Amino acid sequence: MTEIKASTGPKYARIYSVGSATPSRVIDNEFLLQYIDSSDEWITQRTGIKERRWVAEGENIETLAMEAASKAIERAGIDRAEIGAVILSTISHYHQTPALAPKLAYQLGIPDAAAYDISAACAGFCYGLAQAEAIVRAGQATYVLLIAGEVISEITNLEDRGTAFLFGDGAGAVIVGPSETNGIGPVVWGSDGGQEGVIWQTADWHTAVETGVFPKLGMDGRAVFKWATSFIARATKKCLDDAGLTPDQLDVFIPHQANDRITDTLLRYLKLPETVVVARTIRQLGNNSAATVPMAMDALLSSGEASSGQTALIIGFGAGLVYAGQVITLP
Ligand code: COA
C-alpha cells in the first residue's frame, strides 16, 4: 500500500483572544407586553431576563460577525495571513449556499482560508471550538478564527408567550492557535434527534420565499428545561471529569444563557464553590443562541469579573437536540 503522509501539528491549542458585538436596539420586558399577556415581574422571576438587544436598521448577521471577528483578530495580535481556517456557527444566515464564512474571511482580509458555516444552534460555539482545536492540533491551520453570530429576533414569534421574551441578537469570536500548555480540554458533545420536535422552526425557508413570511421558532419550554437540568447537568460534570479537574479547581462557569434557573440548578448539581464567577449575561442580553458563550466570556473579561489565564467551564445546548462543552483557559 502506498504510504500517505499525515499532517502533524502542535501538541496543544488555546484561545488567544475573544471579541463580541451587541446590536444597538435595547428591548426591555415592557416593550414585549404589547404583544404577549405577561409581566416584567414574571419574565424576570422565571428567566432572569430584564432586557435583550435586537438588530436595528443596518445591523445584521454580517455586521455583527464582522465586528466581533475584527476585535478578536486585533486582540490576538497575530498576522491575519496566518489564519488558515474561518468557521462561522450560526442558524441566522439566509442562504443555504454559499456559506457566509468565505465572504467574512474575504472582507476581513484573510487570504485563502478554509471557510465554512456550521449549524448547531445554541451548542454552535462549543461545537466550533472542538473543530478549531482539532484543526490546530492536526497542523491543518496555524490559527483558526471561530465566529458565532445570531439574529434570532427575526425568527421570534412576538405573540408566543413561551418564547417571545427569551432571545437576543449578537456575535462573539475567538482566535484559536498553538500553545505550549493545554488550553482546551476534551469536548463532551452529543445529540438526540429523537427530541427534534422539542425546539422547532414553524416552516422551512422555501415556504418563506412563497409567502414572504419568516418561519418562527417554537419550543416546548418545559421539556427543554427538564433536559437541561438533568441530562445537561451530567454532561457538564463530565466536562470537568474528562479534563481531570474537580469543582474547586474552577475559576469561572459560563453555561449557555437559556434561563437563570437552569444555571442555578447546574450550580447546585456541580457543587461549585461560591468563589466561582458565574456568567449571568442573560439578564441584559437574553439567550443569544450560538453566540451566547463567547459574548458572556467577553463580557466577564471586559468587566474584570474574570481574568486571562483563569480556568473556565463552558457548555452550550439547544435545538437538535445538541450539546457541547469543554474546560478552557480564558484568553
Ligand atoms: N407570562 C406570564 N405567565 C406565563 C407566561 C408568560 N410569558 N408563559 C407561561 N405563563 C404561565 C403559564 O400559563 C403557567 O400558568 P399556570 O401555572 O397558571 O398554568 C405558568 O406561567 C407556568 O408555565 P410554564 O410553561 O410551566 O412556565 P415555565 O416555568 O416552564 O417557564 C420558560 C417557561 C420558557 C421560561 C421555561 O420553560 C424555560 O426557560 N425553558 C427553557 C427554555 C430554553 O432554554 N430554551 C432554549 C434552549 S436553547
Side-chain angles (χ1 to χ4, degrees):
M1 210 191 305
T2 310
E3 193 181 321
I4 301 171
K5 201 174 150 192
S7 66
T8 52
K11 189 166 180 201
Y12 301 120
R14 68 179 169 93
I15 299 175
Y16 278 59
S17 62
V18 60
S20 66
T22 46
S24 56
R25 211 170 139 218
V26 180
I27 305 290
D28 60 15
N29 291 340
E30 205 66 35
F31 172 86
L32 296 168
L33 303 185
Q34 61 185 305
Y35 304 103
I36 50 168
D37 175 17
S38 190
S39 65
D40 174 44
E41 194 190 5
W42 189 93
I43 297 171
T44 308
Q45 278 179 1
R46 304 305 288 173
T47 68
I49 305 171
K50 289 302 284 181
E51 58 188 39
R52 71 288 289 144
R53 301 289 192 101
W54 288 358
V55 288
E57 188 81 33
E59 295 172 330
N60 53 49
I61 177 68
E62 216 173 296
T63 62
L64 293 171
M66 283 295 290
E67 187 184 331
S70 301
K71 285 181 189 165
I73 295 169
E74 202 176 299
R75 290 173 185 171
I78 58 162
D79 178 358
R80 63 186 72 205
E82 286 190 77
I83 298 173
V86 177
I87 305 170
L88 172 68
S89 183
T90 188
I91 56 164
S92 308
H93 179 43
Y94 298 153
H95 297 266
Q96 195 75 45
T97 197
L100 186 54
K103 185 178 179 188
L104 295 173
Y106 176 77
Q107 290 180 166
L108 288 161
I110 302 167
D112 198 26
Y116 59 98
D117 297 354
I118 58 171
S119 171
C122 302
F125 176 78
C126 297
Y127 262 68
L129 188 62
Q131 293 189 6
E133 185 250 6
I135 289 169
V136 168
R137 288 181 57 205
Q140 304 279 14
T142 306
Y143 297 103
V144 177
L145 167 62
L146 167 64
I147 313 165
E150 301 287 15
V151 180
I152 303 293
S153 61
E154 287 179 341
I155 55 166
T156 294
N157 180 358
L158 279 176
E159 275 148 27
D160 176 12
R161 70 201 292 254
T163 56
F165 49 85
L166 282 176
F167 297 96
D169 305 332
V174 294
I175 294 287
V176 177
S179 179
E180 298 281 307
T181 54
N182 191 25
I184 303 173
V187 67
V188 173
W189 56 354
S191 68
D192 180 5
Q195 296 201 69
E196 65 155 354
V198 169
I199 305 173
W200 65 89
Q201 190 175 300
T202 51
D204 60 34
W205 286 101
H206 295 99
T207 318
V209 172
E210 283 160 23
T211 62
V213 179
F214 269 58
K216 301 290 184 228
L217 208 64
M219 187 179 67
D220 178 348
R222 281 186 203 189
V224 179
F225 198 95
K226 207 172 141 204
W227 175 70
T229 50
S230 52
F231 183 87
I232 293 301
R234 293 193 291 279
T236 310
K237 173 77 169 59
K238 192 168 188 304
C239 294
L240 273 181
D241 293 345
D242 287 6
L245 299 182
T246 50
D248 57 298
Q249 290 175 292
L250 207 62
D251 302 307
V252 180
F253 181 39
I254 310 178
H256 180 48
Q257 300 291 289
N259 188 316
D260 250 354
R261 291 187 295 131
I262 293 176
T263 299
D264 292 338
T265 308
L266 296 180
L267 279 175
R268 281 196 297 276
Y269 182 86
L270 292 170
K271 298 188 176 65
L272 294 186
E274 278 183 17
T275 49
V276 171
V277 173
V278 181
R280 300 279 186 182
T281 43
I282 191 168
R283 294 172 185 177
Q284 271 73 47
L285 300 174
N287 174 347
N288 310 102
S289 186
T292 306
V293 169
M295 287 176 78
M297 197 189 302
D298 195 22
L300 288 177
L301 288 166
S302 303
S303 68
E305 288 166 87
S307 43
S308 175
Q310 285 187 317
T311 304
L313 170 55
I314 62 174
I315 188 154
F317 50 87
L321 295 173
V322 293
Y323 68 95
Q326 40 292 77
V327 174
I328 59 162
T329 305
L330 289 176

